Structure formats: structure tokens, C-alpha cells
Amino acid sequence: MDFVYNQALQEKKNITKTGYRALFLLMQLIQQPLSRDELLAIFEQHPIINKDFSKDTITNTINTLRKAGCIISRPSLKTDHKYVLKSHPFHILLDKKHIDALQTFREGVISDGSWQQVLHLNNLYAKLAKLAGDEISADILKNNHPFNKINIDILNEIIIFIKTRKKAKFLYLSPENGEEELDFSPEKITFENQKLYVWGHNLKYDDFGYLRIDKIKKILTPVYNALSADDYKNSKQIIEVEYLLKGYSAQTFICNDDEEIIKTTESELLVKARVRNKFYFYQRILAFGTECRLMSPQSVREEFLRILKDIKAGYKDAG
């Protein structure tokens, strides 16, 4: 940490040099242990305290800091004849009010769906945890977020795969199949329902789909080059679908990466989606309930209607 000096400070007539000198010496020892001669050399270069100081001045200033609560060891052979600052009372501590405010802010960022910003905040909060007043507060700052079960090294590798358009072999803990090895080419990352997903081509099942990143246990070698034309030849085609939203769903709607709003009225939105995974798309529009109407194409409308009838029949049979 650098001690900042400027001309305006030098021109102040009412500055207390004794106090200023004590703070300046403290800042030097926070950075590293220093001998008396090293401190004298630093003082000599400073435009405010470069006059009227001596070896006794260093000793008196050290004693002043000790009286203020600093623990500073005496120079000895063990410390290479340097003063060592072991502790000082000038720490910033975060109390419960501060922790609550920080958590509220992070939850606001999470609700906006910006997973990149959440990652940045998590890194910052991990550093702020050192200033927490107790272990419980420190644990909240470090771990109370939706990404706490994600291996950050794996996430960073996936981001690199997306940028370089490469495929890799993942060891994945599937809810249906248990642990399995998947050849997968990541294309994008989304954040939904408090979970991070990576989307891409799953070559094992010849489909475009998603994996929960917290379920990816390991990246297996080797890492392959970008997908070839043969990898794509049997993958499902992209289908352009339009659906209409109204009411609260229209007011709060946020586009996914493969969607765009093509028409807006006072109460309705017409959305175009590029669908590569019908299962996920049907889940998405079902979440809008009666405020969503599937408009086109007719083949998707008919298929979706059949699915709804099957669901309804399943509930009847269960009853």
C-alpha cells in the first residue's frame, strides 16, 4: 500500500507532524519489516518530514505507536535488525449490518441474471471475508451464493472452450444415468433458477442440450479441436418459433440469447425464438402459463398440443 502525498498537504499550516510521522511510519511497517537506517532513509526522502528527525525520532515514534496499541518487535539478530509490525488495532471490521447489506446487494445482482457479475462479486466478497467480525459472517460472504458447489477451475476451462470453439470430454453426474463420460462442445453459459448451465452439442446423444455446471465433476483428457462437419451432420436443425406473451409475463420478460422481440403493443409481446432443444423450449413457455400462446410454426403447435394432452391424461390416470 503506497502512502499518498500531494502538494496540497504540504501547504497545510496546521498539520501535526508528530501524528503524520507516526501514520507514515506505520504504513511503512505494514508493507514490510524495516531497520532504523532504512526508516531514516525513507524519512529523508519525504517532503513533509524530511527535516528535524533523528534516530531518537524513530525510537519515539515507534514508542508512540506501541502506546496506541501496535505490537512492534525490537530489532534483533532474529529479525535481521529490523522492526517487525506483528499487529495493530486499526482494522476495519464488518458487523452484521454490513454483512446483510452486502448480501442484499449480491442477491440483487443474482436476480438480474448476470452470472459474470456474480462471479466478480464472489471474488471480492472472499477478500472482504477477512474483515468479518466472526467465522459465521466470513462463511456467509465466502459461501452464501448459488455458485458455491461449482468448481471454478472447471468453469474457467469451459469459458475458454467456448471462446476457442473446442470440444472436451466431461465426467458428468447425470440425474438419470449417474456418472458418465460425455464428448461435449460448449457454446454458451446461462444462469437460470439459481443454477449455471453450459449449452452445446452433446456428441454422445447426438443432440444440442445443456449440462448443469455444478454436476461436471472433471474435465477428462484429451481436449479436442473445434467440431468438424461430421460432428454436426446429424444434429437437430434450428427451428424458428414465434410465441405471444401478455400480462405480467410480457411486462417482466427478458430475452434469452436465442430470442428476440419482434413486435410490441401496450399489453403484448411477440417473441421469435431459435429453438435447438424442444424439451427446454417447452419447459420455458409452460412457465408462462396462460399468459403465453404458441403462434408458429404449425408443426410445433401440434406437437406441443399432443404433449399437453399426454400430460393431462397422465394426471387423470394418476387420480
Side-chain angles (χ1 to χ4, degrees):
M1 186 184 299
D2 294 329
F3 193 89
V4 178
Y5 161 77
N6 58 47
Q7 188 64 30
L9 183 59
Q10 186 183 28
E11 293 173 354
K12 295 281 187 183
K13 301 300 183 182
N14 60 349
I15 181 171
T16 303
K17 286 190 177 181
T18 300
Y20 184 89
R21 188 164 49 233
L23 290 173
F24 180 73
L25 192 150
L26 175 62
M27 295 299 291
Q28 303 311 307
L29 293 182
I30 284 175
Q31 295 181 68
Q32 61 185 339
L34 293 166
S35 68
R36 186 191 303 270
D37 289 340
E38 287 171 333
L39 286 169
L40 286 170
I42 293 171
F43 274 38
E44 188 175 1
Q45 298 300 316
H46 197 282
I48 292 180
I49 54 177
N50 61 354
K51 298 176 182 179
D52 302 323
F53 71 91
S54 65
K55 290 184 178 181
D56 289 340
T57 306
I58 298 296
T59 301
N60 293 335
T61 305
I62 291 288
N63 289 334
T64 298
L65 289 172
R66 286 173 176 153
K67 289 178 181 178
C70 298
I71 298 178
I72 304 172
S73 67
R74 296 181 181 278
S76 65
L77 285 174
K78 188 176 180 180
T79 64
D80 194 22
H81 302 288
K82 298 178 186 290
Y83 290 102
V84 179
L85 177 67
K86 294 187 174 181
S87 68
H88 63 82
F90 309 114
H91 298 286
I92 299 173
L93 290 180
L94 301 175
D95 59 22
K96 185 178 183 303
K97 179 174 62 178
H98 298 135
I99 302 298
D100 291 344
L102 288 168
Q103 279 299 98
T104 300
F105 179 74
R106 178 158 56 184
E107 288 166 4
V109 175
I110 290 171
S111 66
D112 288 339
S114 176
W115 62 269
Q116 297 96 331
Q117 293 301 321
V118 176
L119 285 179
H120 291 319
L121 276 182
N122 291 347
N123 292 334
L124 173 62
Y125 282 21
K127 296 177 182 178
L128 290 177
K130 298 177 182 179
L131 304 178
D134 55 77
E135 291 185 5
I136 294 176
S137 297
D139 185 67
I140 289 173
L141 289 176
K142 288 190 288 187
N143 299 313
N144 194 1
H145 58 81
F147 302 160
N148 60 2
K149 295 183 179 180
I150 288 177
N151 185 314
I152 297 300
D153 291 334
I154 290 177
L155 175 59
N156 289 333
E157 287 292 322
I158 291 172
I159 293 172
I160 293 173
F161 296 152
I162 293 172
K163 291 180 179 178
T164 57
R165 294 185 57 79
K166 290 187 176 181
K167 59 182 178 180
K169 188 184 291 291
F170 293 148
L171 180 63
Y172 186 69
L173 182 58
S174 168
E176 296 83 15
N177 306 319
E179 282 194 355
E180 57 179 335
E181 295 183 6
L182 300 176
D183 284 331
F184 197 85
S185 180
E187 290 193 12
K188 65 178 181 178
I189 294 173
T190 61
F191 179 47
E192 302 171 48
N193 301 318
Q194 303 287 296
K195 302 293 181 184
L196 270 185
Y197 298 88
V198 56
W199 289 78
H201 288 267
N202 189 331
L203 277 73
K204 181 175 181 178
Y205 298 107
D206 190 22
D207 194 10
F208 183 85
Y210 59 87
L211 304 176
R212 263 180 54 179
I213 294 179
D214 61 306
K215 297 292 185 180
I216 299 174
K217 299 304 176 184
K218 191 175 182 181
I219 298 176
L220 304 172
T221 55
V223 174
Y224 305 94
N225 292 326
L227 289 178
S228 65
D230 289 339
D231 293 325
Y232 281 106
K233 64 182 180 181
N234 294 321
S235 61
K236 293 180 172 58
Q237 295 181 344
I238 296 174
I239 303 171
E240 288 195 349
V241 179
E242 294 183 5
Y243 61 95
L244 191 71
L245 290 176
K246 61 182 181 179
Y248 182 75
S249 295
Q251 296 172 14
T252 59
F253 178 74
I254 299 176
C255 284
N256 283 342
D257 292 340
D258 295 326
E259 295 176 326
E260 62 175 318
I261 299 171
I262 57 177
K263 187 177 179 181
T264 305
T265 67
E266 290 185 1
S267 58
E268 295 180 335
L269 296 178
L270 183 61
V271 181
K272 178 186 286 187
R274 300 172 73 251
V275 177
R276 286 189 282 183
N277 184 296
K278 286 183 180 178
F279 174 76
Y280 172 79
F281 174 72
Y282 291 151
Q283 282 188 318
R284 177 164 173 75
I285 61 175
L286 279 171
F288 297 125
T290 58
E291 295 181 332
C292 177
R293 182 181 179 187
L294 189 55
M295 305 300 291
S296 67
Q298 186 62 29
S299 60
V300 175
R301 282 170 51 89
E302 291 173 356
E303 181 181 72
F304 186 54
L305 183 59
R306 286 197 301 273
I307 290 173
L308 292 178
K309 289 181 178 179
D310 289 344
I311 293 173
K312 183 177 181 181
Y315 275 114
K316 285 184 177 180
D317 292 341

